Amino acid sequence: MVMTTTAAQIEGWLEAVKDPEIPVISIKELGILQSVDVDGDVVTVNIIPTYSGCPAMYAIKEDITAALAARQITNPNIKIHNAPAWTTDMISESGREKMHAYGIAPPVARGHAVACPLCHSKNTEVISQFGSTACKALYRCLDCAEPFDHFKCHAPIL
Amino acid sequence: MDAQHLYPYFLRLADTSMTMSQRLSEWCGHGPYLEEDVALTNVALDTMGHANLFYQLAVEVADDDVTVDDLAFLRDAHDYRNPLLTELPRGDFAYTMMKQYFVDVYALLLYRALTESCYQPLSDVAKKALIEVQYHHERSHEWLKRLCMSTEEAHQKMQKALDDLWFYTPELFETDAGIQALHEQGTAPDMSVIQSEWSSMVETHLAQCQLILPETGWVATGGLQGEHSEHLGYMLAEMQFLQRAYPGCEW
Ligand SMILES: [Zn+2]
């Protein structure tokens, strides 16, 4: 391994690792990738799961390993942490924009209307509280009739 | 910190989530309509995630070299510590939602209290699980209202579910000397406080749904001591079959 590799460089390389369920957004933009530590030869990647039962964590671990192997970093120490608890506030602005462009309405604060990703109307209604995955709900636009996924707000109710 | 009390406590929490999740997952492909089928199984997935987190905590304090999978798939019914409520057959949709509502309110109040636990790993897990449980609770709370306020038949089915399940609920709050010791150390909350909060929330909602609490019934007990109904054995036979038949098998 090249000893001059910095944590910031590795974090940059990991931009290539996308969320398996929303393949346009990186795990960094989604808030899954928390930090990278470099200590001599040992690279530690700290990640947190989105939902407790998220089945994508195994795929994400494998994707991180593959992305680092492409940079001649082998045997990374990938640690899955239970804290901090992931919330949708950890999704970056660029992540939200890409999500919207991909056709998924990004999270909104509780009680706020969800805008249609196609026509931007806020005249929408929920069809189902769960969509294709645990993190999404199914909506319908009442103006353009588009059915769409909404990435639900995931944060503690205070 | 006293691992002697932590280990069975984490199993209590994990087994409760595991059995809830397994019963919910039985709805896969049998939901009343597609979206609800997807919702039930997503709640099952979240809940299995909670079981996994609590089993991890148990593994960290275990005397022996065990794994999360060993705890879920290689223990017999008498080693499970869930309350009898969560092992009951899934029944019809009314029965499933009534049970879900009872357990959601319980988990909401318990996990919220556990976020204050002085045992940091438990507090971390509780913070994570609480966010999901809040959403589950919103859902089952709304379903109860919808079912009770719809047709006469739906209301009757909900009343029947309440009659059958009500006396299984006190067991959720049972404690033993170990849980009491954890409470005194600041690791676990006072379950009598959780129970009174639960009763107040649940009874208010049931009254709004125009459901009537049954007056008498057999009060379930035994899960904390590993004394279960025959239903748990059948559930585990199905859930554990693969690991028992093909030890160490992985996807
Ligand atoms: Zn629209």
Side-chain angles (χ1 to χ4, degrees), chain A residues 10-157:
Chain A
I10 294 173
E11 279 195 38
W13 295 339
L14 291 177
E15 277 294 341
V17 179
K18 307 296 180 192
D19 179 73
E21 283 162 358
I22 312 173
V24 290
I25 303 177
S26 73
I27 56 169
K28 173 123 169 106
E29 287 169 312
L30 207 50
I32 292 173
L33 175 63
Q34 290 282 300
S35 63
V36 173
D37 301 322
V38 179
D39 183 9
D41 274 351
V42 184
V43 171
T44 304
V45 181
N46 298 298
I47 57 175
I48 55 171
T50 53
Y51 281 62
S52 303
C54 181
M57 288 313 281
Y58 301 97
I60 290 171
K61 261 182 106 164
E62 282 178 12
D63 292 348
I64 292 172
T65 305
L68 294 181
R71 304 282 182 169
Q72 278 70 52
I73 295 173
T74 50
N75 298 320
N77 185 11
I78 303 171
K79 283 191 187 162
I80 300 177
H81 298 269
N82 291 333
W86 179 82
T87 72
T88 37
D89 294 338
M90 294 179 182
I91 302 174
S92 70
E93 198 47 48
S94 64
R96 293 174 59 87
E97 281 162 16
K98 288 177 191 172
M99 198 181 278
H100 186 271
Y102 191 63
I104 300 171
V108 292
R110 282 178 173 276
H112 287 248
V114 175
C116 168
L118 198 65
C119 76
H120 309 287
S121 163
K122 287 192 174 174
N123 187 19
T124 59
E125 68 173 9
V126 66
I127 300 175
S128 172
Q129 283 162 304
F130 288 90
S132 53
T133 61
C135 56
K136 285 174 258 162
L138 200 56
Y139 271 68
R140 165 165 49 212
C141 177
L142 296 172
D143 283 336
C144 77
E146 173 85 352
F148 63 91
D149 269 333
H150 164 52
F151 203 103
K152 293 182 295 204
C153 171
H154 192 76
I157 302 169

Side-chain angles (χ1 to χ4, degrees), chain B residues 102 161-170 198-199 202-203 206 213-214:
Chain B
F102 289 155
L162 175 60
D163 292 346
D164 288 353
L165 295 172
W166 183 247
F167 289 102
Y168 281 88
T169 61
W198 184 92
S199 299
V202 169
E203 287 173 23
L206 293 176
L213 292 183

Side-chain angles (χ1 to χ4, degrees), chain B residues 195-216:
Chain B
Q195 182 167 21
S196 72
E197 288 174 348
W198 184 92
S199 299
S200 135
M201 268 177 83
V202 169
E203 287 173 23
T204 305
H205 190 43
L206 293 176
Q208 282 164 353
C209 292
Q210 290 165 18
L211 293 170
I212 298 154
L213 292 183
E215 280 170 16
T216 53

Side-chain angles (χ1 to χ4, degrees), chain B:
Chain B
M1 195 56 60
D2 198 346
Q4 177 203 342
H5 298 314
L6 286 176
Y7 184 72
Y9 186 56
F10 294 150
L11 289 183
R12 167 76 163 179
L13 297 170
D15 292 343
T16 302
S17 295
M18 192 70 224
T19 45
M20 275 305 280
S21 173
Q22 179 68 15
R23 285 301 187 208
L24 275 172
S25 67
E26 291 174 5
W27 278 100
C28 188
H30 300 275
Y33 56 94
L34 181 63
E35 288 79 8
E36 189 50 37
D37 197 292
V38 171
L40 288 164
T41 44
N42 268 306
V43 176
L45 183 64
D46 284 347
T47 310
M48 193 181 66
H50 304 160
N52 184 40
L53 291 169
F54 291 130
Y55 283 134
Q56 277 174 21
L57 295 178
V59 164
E60 284 165 18
V61 297
D63 291 334
D64 324 327
D65 204 9
V66 291
T67 67
V68 166
D69 283 348
D70 293 341
L71 294 178
F73 297 117
L74 299 179
R75 282 181 309 136
D76 286 326
H78 57 79
D79 296 321
Y80 265 69
R81 298 176 63 85
N82 59 282
L84 271 52
L85 175 68
T86 60
E87 71 200 34
L88 290 174
R90 71 177 192 270
D92 62 10
F93 190 66
Y95 205 84
T96 288
M97 286 325 289
M98 186 63 76
K99 182 170 69 171
Q100 188 67 36
Y101 173 67
F102 289 155
V103 176
D104 285 345
V105 178
Y106 156 83
L108 180 77
L109 297 170
L110 177 60
Y111 297 175
R112 187 179 285 160
L114 285 174
T115 64
E116 309 283 324
S117 172
C118 67
Y119 186 68
Q120 189 65 39
L122 177 57
S123 160
D124 289 344
V125 165
K127 280 179 191 146
K128 187 148 190 64
L130 178 63
I131 301 176
E132 286 143 29
V133 161
Q134 284 172 329
Y135 196 72
H136 300 169
H137 169 253
E138 273 181 14
R139 203 180 96 79
S140 58
H141 179 98
E142 281 305 304
W143 256 124
L144 236 64
K145 227 176 0 188
R146 277 177 70 184
L147 292 169
C148 291
M149 302 299 177
S150 64
T151 64
E152 185 55 36
E153 188 191 355
H155 191 270
Q156 276 171 13
K157 285 188 174 177
M158 293 304 283
Q159 183 63 54
K160 172 84 169 74
L162 175 60
D163 292 346
D164 288 353
L165 295 172
W166 183 247
F167 289 102
Y168 281 88
T169 61
E171 198 197 354
L172 289 167
F173 310 97
E174 260 182 35
T175 59
D176 56 16
I179 297 176
Q180 283 299 335
L182 291 175
H183 166 53
E184 280 151 30
Q185 295 165 9
T187 303
D190 182 343
M191 288 310 281
S192 65
V193 172
I194 303 284
Q195 182 167 21
S196 72
E197 288 174 348
W198 184 92
S199 299
S200 135
M201 268 177 83
V202 169
E203 287 173 23
T204 305
H205 190 43
L206 293 176
Q208 282 164 353
C209 292
Q210 290 165 18
L211 293 170
I212 298 154
L213 292 183
E215 280 170 16
T216 53
W218 176 75
V219 181
T221 185
L224 209 45
Q225 291 78 41
E227 291 158 13
H228 292 277
S229 68
E230 73 276 22
H231 306 299
L232 183 63
Y234 287 104
M235 179 203 280
L236 295 184
E238 185 176 348
M239 189 179 101
Q240 298 182 334
F241 171 80
L242 200 76
Q243 279 303 319
R244 300 261 188 200
Y246 304 95
C249 169
E250 284 182 35
W251 287 112

